[in-house]
Structure formats: C-alpha cells, structure tokens
Amino acid sequence: MTQAPTAAKNSRRRHDREIIALALPAFGALVAEPLFVMVDSAVIGHLGTPQLAGLGIAAVLLMTAVSVFVFLAYATTAAVARRVGAGDLQAAIRQGMDGIWLALLLGAAVIAVVLPAAPWLVDLFGASDTAAPYAITYLRISSLGIPAMLVVLAATGVLRGLQDTKTPLYVAVGGFTANAALNVGLVYGAGLGIAGSAWGTVIAQCGMAAAYLTVVVRGARKHGASLRPDAAGIRACAQAGAPLLVRTLSLRAVLMIATAVAARLGDADVAAHQILLSLWSLLAFALDAIAIAGQAIIGRYLGADDAKGAQEACRRMVQWGIVSGVVLGVLVAASRPLFIPLFTSDEVVRDALLPALLVVAVSQPISGIVFVLDGVLMGAGDGPYLAWAMLATLAVFTPVALLVPVLGGGLTALWWAMTLMMAVRMVTLWLRARSGRWIVTGATR
C-alpha cells in the first residue's frame, strides 16, 4: 500500500535534486550577463552624457546582434544532452564542436556586416550629432568580440548538455570581474575613453571564450572526439537552430511592438514601460534558470530512451514553475512601495507604473509555466513547433496591442495585452506537452 506513494516521493526528490543542481548555477550565470553592460554604463557615465548616450545606442545594437543567435546555446544543449543520455560522450562533444564552429562562422558574418554599417545603424536609431561618434566607436570595436560572444553561447550549451552549469557560472563571474577591471584601467588609467570600455569588453569576452574552449577541448581529447570542422555537422546545427531563430525573432518583435505602443501613449508611459520591462527581464532570469535545467534534463532522459522519466521530470518542473511564479508575483506586489522610488521620483510616472506593476505580479505564475514548458520542448528538440507557436502568439498579440492607444487604453492595458501574449504561449505549449508528441527518444530526434 505504501510502496507507490514512497516511490512517487523518491522520484520527486530525485527530480528536485537535479533541478536545483542545474538551475541555481544557471541563474547565477544568467544574472552575470547583463552586468557587463551595467559596468560599462557606470564607467562611461562619468565621462559625460554624450558618451553614455552613445553607449546606450551601441549596447542595444550589440545585444540584438548577439541575442538573435541564442539558439546556439539552446539547440546545442538539447543535442548534446540526448547523446549524453544515450551514453555516447564522444558524439556529444563532437556535436558541441559543430555548434562552436557554427558560432565562429556566424560571428565572422556579423562583423562583416556591422563594421561598415555601423554609422547607418547608429543613425537609424536616431543618435544625436554629439552621441553618434561615440556610439560608432563603441559598436565597431565591440563587434570584434561578437565571435567570442557566440562561442560563449555555443560552449555554454555544450556544458549544459553535459549537465554542467557550474563551469558557466565560474566563467561568467570571472568574465564580469575582468571586464570591470579592464574598463576602469583602459578608460581612466590608459585614457582611452569609450574606446577603452569597448576594448575591455572585447578582451573579457575573448577570455571567457578561451576558458570555455579549454574545457571543451580537454573533454574532446579525453573522449577521442575530433576538433576539426565538419560541414555536415555544422549544417545540421544550423538546421536545428533555424526554428529557434524564428521563435526568438518573433519574441523580440513582441517586445519591440510593445515599446512602440508605449511610446505612443506619452513620455510618462514609455518611461514607466521601460522600468517594467527591466523588471520583467530580471524576473525572466529566475524562471529561465529552471527552463535551462529542463533543456538538459529532458534531453538526457530522451536520449536514454526513458520517456516515462521525461514525462515525470516535465510534470515536476511545471510545478516548480508555478510555485516560482507565485513567489515572484507576491514579492513584486509586496515590494512595490520600495521598488518604484528606486527608479523615479516623477509622480506622473509613478501613477502609471503602480497599476501596471500589479499586472506584472499577477502574470508571474503564467510566466513560470511558459518558461518551463519552453525549456522542456527545447530539450526535446521540438523547435519547429516552438517557432509556429510563437508566430501564432505574435499574430494574436499584435492587433490587440495596436488597439490599446486607439481605444484610449493606457500602460496598464498594454501590460494586460502582454499578459494575454503569455497566456497564449502557455496554452500552445501546454497543448503540445499534453499531447506527448514532443516525446521522441533516441540519441537524435
């Protein structure tokens, strides 16, 4: 009579240990990433307003150029984890090397575009005459580090697939520390100004890439995996990543549309919207850590032909997502008297911010489910479905968001539209998870 409940409890505990072991270091690494830009902003901010404005424009362009290739991490994690589950570490690392070679090729292509197009890109973002030269300088120098940034993404995916999220945390902390020291030394010590900040970031990113490559190459030699580029393998990585690229671009389109709508509502509303978007992104890091654990765990179970284990892990992670979302929502609602004054003293902005902040709090349990199921389906290699689901979500969100200013709605209405977007994502992902069609076992999907 007691064996079944005991077995279920032991299963939950096993999944909990796996989730915590992978998610906590992943969260630390995720939080370290935006600190690069924050350090640059803090250092350059003391040079003057035009320099800081130039950094703001260049940083947005740089992060956009890198973030669209986040599939290098996601697709590599899933593919490597499957082979780990199948017990073939040599093939797992070989798969990871294909992803790293693809990252280098894409990085070279981005440099070829950004270097000559930098003045046009900066002008497209409406940079002032005083800020534009600084933005162009920072963008051109920093673009030289894009291949290293993409290698970091791909190599992070390799280690996550190998069930290692601690090494990425150590590398991220080391990279952040080096970036801070280099920025201060080159900007002020060497007197290089904004160019020194850009070079500091490039050097730190190259150092991070070198650290990752050292770990991956050591693993390749240990298990006899080839380090040479393989055209077929690189092409397979690109094909696996293409649907996730569509998903990422669709999600960024949602955020761009939301910002454009907020801008039409007025200065106070767009200022409040940017504060909310920053908070929303920070909360996403916490939930994305569980999703990263999901990618690695689900891929491993499916690679080991353990469909039941994958289903159990999925159910447990959804429970984690719901609980995490509820906790984050309560924290946001409870801390709003402390949070709002940190960002603005403008009463008009505060009035716009308060009700919309409560909407963000209410939506967190939905976000928890969405992030987890997103990670589960990525771990299963179900990229095509994720692409179509996000396109459908974009199709629903766009007209609703555009109607907000037409119907006289304010920022709160816009964030209800954002909540609708997350709800649509939740429904599409839940239907897929419930169908079981994502469960395809074996070393490859």
Side-chain angles (χ1 to χ4, degrees), residues 283-310:
L283 296 171
F285 284 130
L287 298 174
D288 202 26
I290 304 174
I292 287 169
Q295 294 170 30
I297 293 169
I298 294 297
R300 193 189 73 235
Y301 275 119
L302 294 177
D305 292 323
D306 189 354
K308 182 181 178 182

mmCIF file of all heavy atoms in Angstrom, residues 283-310:
data_model
loop_
_atom_site.group_PDB
_atom_site.id
_atom_site.type_symbol
_atom_site.label_atom_id
_atom_site.label_comp_id
_atom_site.label_asym_id
_atom_site.label_seq_id
_atom_site.Cartn_x
_atom_site.Cartn_y
_atom_site.Cartn_z
ATOM 1 N N LEU A 283 12.987 39.177 -13.749
ATOM 2 C CA LEU A 283 12.194 38.034 -13.292
ATOM 3 C C LEU A 283 12.359 36.850 -14.239
ATOM 4 O O LEU A 283 12.363 35.692 -13.813
ATOM 5 C CB LEU A 283 10.715 38.430 -13.204
ATOM 6 C CG LEU A 283 10.365 39.512 -12.180
ATOM 7 C CD1 LEU A 283 8.916 39.954 -12.351
ATOM 8 C CD2 LEU A 283 10.604 39.022 -10.762
ATOM 9 N N ALA A 284 12.517 37.159 -15.523
ATOM 10 C CA ALA A 284 12.682 36.096 -16.510
ATOM 11 C C ALA A 284 13.951 35.300 -16.276
ATOM 12 O O ALA A 284 13.996 34.099 -16.550
ATOM 13 C CB ALA A 284 12.692 36.694 -17.925
ATOM 14 N N PHE A 285 15.006 35.953 -15.745
ATOM 15 C CA PHE A 285 16.248 35.235 -15.468
ATOM 16 C C PHE A 285 16.007 34.107 -14.465
ATOM 17 O O PHE A 285 16.525 33.002 -14.616
ATOM 18 C CB PHE A 285 17.315 36.184 -14.930
ATOM 19 C CG PHE A 285 17.939 37.062 -15.976
ATOM 20 C CD1 PHE A 285 18.039 38.423 -15.794
ATOM 21 C CD2 PHE A 285 18.415 36.517 -17.153
ATOM 22 C CE1 PHE A 285 18.603 39.234 -16.761
ATOM 23 C CE2 PHE A 285 18.995 37.324 -18.124
ATOM 24 C CZ PHE A 285 19.080 38.677 -17.928
ATOM 25 N N ALA A 286 15.238 34.410 -13.412
ATOM 26 C CA ALA A 286 14.963 33.398 -12.393
ATOM 27 C C ALA A 286 14.201 32.219 -12.982
ATOM 28 O O ALA A 286 14.509 31.056 -12.709
ATOM 29 C CB ALA A 286 14.176 34.022 -11.242
ATOM 30 N N LEU A 287 13.192 32.514 -13.803
ATOM 31 C CA LEU A 287 12.380 31.449 -14.395
ATOM 32 C C LEU A 287 13.138 30.720 -15.501
ATOM 33 O O LEU A 287 12.966 29.515 -15.697
ATOM 34 C CB LEU A 287 11.081 32.045 -14.937
ATOM 35 C CG LEU A 287 10.185 32.701 -13.871
ATOM 36 C CD1 LEU A 287 8.996 33.393 -14.532
ATOM 37 C CD2 LEU A 287 9.711 31.682 -12.861
ATOM 38 N N ASP A 288 14.003 31.445 -16.209
ATOM 39 C CA ASP A 288 14.773 30.828 -17.290
ATOM 40 C C ASP A 288 15.782 29.827 -16.745
ATOM 41 O O ASP A 288 16.169 28.884 -17.442
ATOM 42 C CB ASP A 288 15.495 31.912 -18.100
ATOM 43 C CG ASP A 288 15.848 31.448 -19.505
ATOM 44 O OD1 ASP A 288 15.145 30.557 -20.024
ATOM 45 O OD2 ASP A 288 16.813 31.965 -20.086
ATOM 46 N N ALA A 289 16.209 30.011 -15.506
ATOM 47 C CA ALA A 289 17.140 29.061 -14.906
ATOM 48 C C ALA A 289 16.503 27.673 -14.812
ATOM 49 O O ALA A 289 17.158 26.658 -15.053
ATOM 50 C CB ALA A 289 17.557 29.544 -13.518
ATOM 51 N N ILE A 290 15.212 27.621 -14.471
ATOM 52 C CA ILE A 290 14.505 26.339 -14.426
ATOM 53 C C ILE A 290 14.366 25.780 -15.834
ATOM 54 O O ILE A 290 14.490 24.574 -16.061
ATOM 55 C CB ILE A 290 13.124 26.505 -13.769
ATOM 56 C CG1 ILE A 290 13.253 27.129 -12.375
ATOM 57 C CG2 ILE A 290 12.406 25.152 -13.668
ATOM 58 C CD1 ILE A 290 11.926 27.452 -11.727
ATOM 59 N N ALA A 291 14.125 26.668 -16.805
ATOM 60 C CA ALA A 291 13.999 26.224 -18.202
ATOM 61 C C ALA A 291 15.300 25.613 -18.704
ATOM 62 O O ALA A 291 15.286 24.613 -19.437
ATOM 63 C CB ALA A 291 13.599 27.408 -19.083
ATOM 64 N N ILE A 292 16.425 26.195 -18.313
ATOM 65 C CA ILE A 292 17.733 25.656 -18.711
ATOM 66 C C ILE A 292 17.928 24.265 -18.121
ATOM 67 O O ILE A 292 18.412 23.343 -18.799
ATOM 68 C CB ILE A 292 18.860 26.613 -18.279
ATOM 69 C CG1 ILE A 292 18.849 27.862 -19.170
ATOM 70 C CG2 ILE A 292 20.220 25.933 -18.338
ATOM 71 C CD1 ILE A 292 19.733 28.985 -18.683
ATOM 72 N N ALA A 293 17.559 24.108 -16.849
ATOM 73 C CA ALA A 293 17.614 22.780 -16.239
ATOM 74 C C ALA A 293 16.727 21.810 -17.019
ATOM 75 O O ALA A 293 17.102 20.652 -17.248
ATOM 76 C CB ALA A 293 17.162 22.857 -14.779
ATOM 77 N N GLY A 294 15.574 22.305 -17.458
ATOM 78 C CA GLY A 294 14.657 21.472 -18.239
ATOM 79 C C GLY A 294 15.262 21.007 -19.546
ATOM 80 O O GLY A 294 15.113 19.839 -19.937
ATOM 81 N N GLN A 295 15.945 21.909 -20.246
ATOM 82 C CA GLN A 295 16.585 21.536 -21.504
ATOM 83 C C GLN A 295 17.559 20.385 -21.311
ATOM 84 O O GLN A 295 17.551 19.401 -22.061
ATOM 85 C CB GLN A 295 17.334 22.746 -22.082
ATOM 86 C CG GLN A 295 16.460 23.901 -22.527
ATOM 87 C CD GLN A 295 17.290 25.123 -22.858
ATOM 88 O OE1 GLN A 295 18.424 25.021 -23.289
ATOM 89 N NE2 GLN A 295 16.736 26.306 -22.631
ATOM 90 N N ALA A 296 18.411 20.504 -20.294
ATOM 91 C CA ALA A 296 19.444 19.495 -20.061
ATOM 92 C C ALA A 296 18.851 18.172 -19.587
ATOM 93 O O ALA A 296 19.227 17.096 -20.069
ATOM 94 C CB ALA A 296 20.451 20.023 -19.035
ATOM 95 N N ILE A 297 17.903 18.241 -18.647
ATOM 96 C CA ILE A 297 17.332 17.024 -18.060
ATOM 97 C C ILE A 297 16.471 16.271 -19.064
ATOM 98 O O ILE A 297 16.595 15.045 -19.213
ATOM 99 C CB ILE A 297 16.523 17.376 -16.795
ATOM 100 C CG1 ILE A 297 17.466 17.876 -15.692
ATOM 101 C CG2 ILE A 297 15.722 16.162 -16.315
ATOM 102 C CD1 ILE A 297 16.745 18.484 -14.501
ATOM 103 N N ILE A 298 15.608 16.981 -19.775
ATOM 104 C CA ILE A 298 14.709 16.328 -20.739
ATOM 105 C C ILE A 298 15.514 15.700 -21.870
ATOM 106 O O ILE A 298 15.252 14.560 -22.287
ATOM 107 C CB ILE A 298 13.693 17.339 -21.302
ATOM 108 C CG1 ILE A 298 12.739 17.813 -20.202
ATOM 109 C CG2 ILE A 298 12.906 16.719 -22.456
ATOM 110 C CD1 ILE A 298 11.880 16.724 -19.595
ATOM 111 N N GLY A 299 16.501 16.423 -22.382
ATOM 112 C CA GLY A 299 17.332 15.877 -23.452
ATOM 113 C C GLY A 299 18.013 14.592 -23.020
ATOM 114 O O GLY A 299 18.091 13.620 -23.782
ATOM 115 N N ARG A 300 18.515 14.566 -21.773
ATOM 116 C CA ARG A 300 19.205 13.376 -21.284
ATOM 117 C C ARG A 300 18.253 12.189 -21.158
ATOM 118 O O ARG A 300 18.583 11.063 -21.548
ATOM 119 C CB ARG A 300 19.843 13.675 -19.928
ATOM 120 C CG ARG A 300 20.847 12.603 -19.494
ATOM 121 C CD ARG A 300 21.301 12.788 -18.070
ATOM 122 N NE ARG A 300 20.263 12.438 -17.120
ATOM 123 C CZ ARG A 300 19.813 13.247 -16.158
ATOM 124 N NH1 ARG A 300 20.286 14.470 -16.041
ATOM 125 N NH2 ARG A 300 18.877 12.846 -15.331
ATOM 126 N N TYR A 301 17.059 12.421 -20.617
ATOM 127 C CA TYR A 301 16.087 11.332 -20.476
ATOM 128 C C TYR A 301 15.679 10.767 -21.832
ATOM 129 O O TYR A 301 15.590 9.547 -22.015
ATOM 130 C CB TYR A 301 14.847 11.818 -19.726
ATOM 131 C CG TYR A 301 14.972 11.753 -18.221
ATOM 132 C CD1 TYR A 301 14.879 12.904 -17.445
ATOM 133 C CD2 TYR A 301 15.176 10.543 -17.569
ATOM 134 C CE1 TYR A 301 14.986 12.859 -16.067
ATOM 135 C CE2 TYR A 301 15.285 10.478 -16.189
ATOM 136 C CZ TYR A 301 15.196 11.638 -15.441
ATOM 137 O OH TYR A 301 15.309 11.584 -14.072
ATOM 138 N N LEU A 302 15.425 11.656 -22.786
ATOM 139 C CA LEU A 302 15.002 11.187 -24.106
ATOM 140 C C LEU A 302 16.130 10.442 -24.800
ATOM 141 O O LEU A 302 15.896 9.444 -25.485
ATOM 142 C CB LEU A 302 14.526 12.368 -24.959
ATOM 143 C CG LEU A 302 13.246 13.063 -24.461
ATOM 144 C CD1 LEU A 302 12.913 14.257 -25.351
ATOM 145 C CD2 LEU A 302 12.068 12.098 -24.424
ATOM 146 N N GLY A 303 17.355 10.911 -24.638
ATOM 147 C CA GLY A 303 18.497 10.213 -25.222
ATOM 148 C C GLY A 303 18.686 8.827 -24.630
ATOM 149 O O GLY A 303 19.176 7.912 -25.302
ATOM 150 N N ALA A 304 18.277 8.668 -23.361
ATOM 151 C CA ALA A 304 18.391 7.372 -22.688
ATOM 152 C C ALA A 304 17.170 6.488 -22.925
ATOM 153 O O ALA A 304 17.023 5.454 -22.266
ATOM 154 C CB ALA A 304 18.591 7.588 -21.193
ATOM 155 N N ASP A 305 16.283 6.899 -23.842
ATOM 156 C CA ASP A 305 15.053 6.151 -24.154
ATOM 157 C C ASP A 305 14.139 6.021 -22.937
ATOM 158 O O ASP A 305 13.402 5.032 -22.805
ATOM 159 C CB ASP A 305 15.383 4.749 -24.697
ATOM 160 C CG ASP A 305 16.047 4.808 -26.067
ATOM 161 O OD1 ASP A 305 15.663 5.674 -26.866
ATOM 162 O OD2 ASP A 305 16.948 4.004 -26.313
ATOM 163 N N ASP A 306 14.177 7.005 -22.057
ATOM 164 C CA ASP A 306 13.354 6.979 -20.847
ATOM 165 C C ASP A 306 12.213 7.987 -20.983
ATOM 166 O O ASP A 306 12.269 9.091 -20.426
ATOM 167 C CB ASP A 306 14.217 7.297 -19.622
ATOM 168 C CG ASP A 306 13.481 7.085 -18.304
ATOM 169 O OD1 ASP A 306 12.265 6.800 -18.332
ATOM 170 O OD2 ASP A 306 14.122 7.208 -17.245
ATOM 171 N N ALA A 307 11.171 7.608 -21.722
ATOM 172 C CA ALA A 307 10.033 8.501 -21.946
ATOM 173 C C ALA A 307 9.305 8.795 -20.642
ATOM 174 O O ALA A 307 8.866 9.934 -20.397
ATOM 175 C CB ALA A 307 9.073 7.881 -22.960
ATOM 176 N N LYS A 308 9.162 7.786 -19.796
ATOM 177 C CA LYS A 308 8.471 7.977 -18.521
ATOM 178 C C LYS A 308 9.216 8.974 -17.641
ATOM 179 O O LYS A 308 8.612 9.862 -17.025
ATOM 180 C CB LYS A 308 8.331 6.642 -17.795
ATOM 181 C CG LYS A 308 7.581 6.750 -16.472
ATOM 182 C CD LYS A 308 7.501 5.394 -15.773
ATOM 183 C CE LYS A 308 6.794 5.538 -14.415
ATOM 184 N NZ LYS A 308 6.739 4.238 -13.699
ATOM 185 N N GLY A 309 10.550 8.845 -17.584
ATOM 186 C CA GLY A 309 11.346 9.781 -16.798
ATOM 187 C C GLY A 309 11.207 11.204 -17.309
ATOM 188 O O GLY A 309 11.144 12.157 -16.525
ATOM 189 N N ALA A 310 11.147 11.360 -18.641
ATOM 190 C CA ALA A 310 10.982 12.685 -19.234
ATOM 191 C C ALA A 310 9.634 13.291 -18.854
ATOM 192 O O ALA A 310 9.540 14.477 -18.527
ATOM 193 C CB ALA A 310 11.116 12.597 -20.750
#
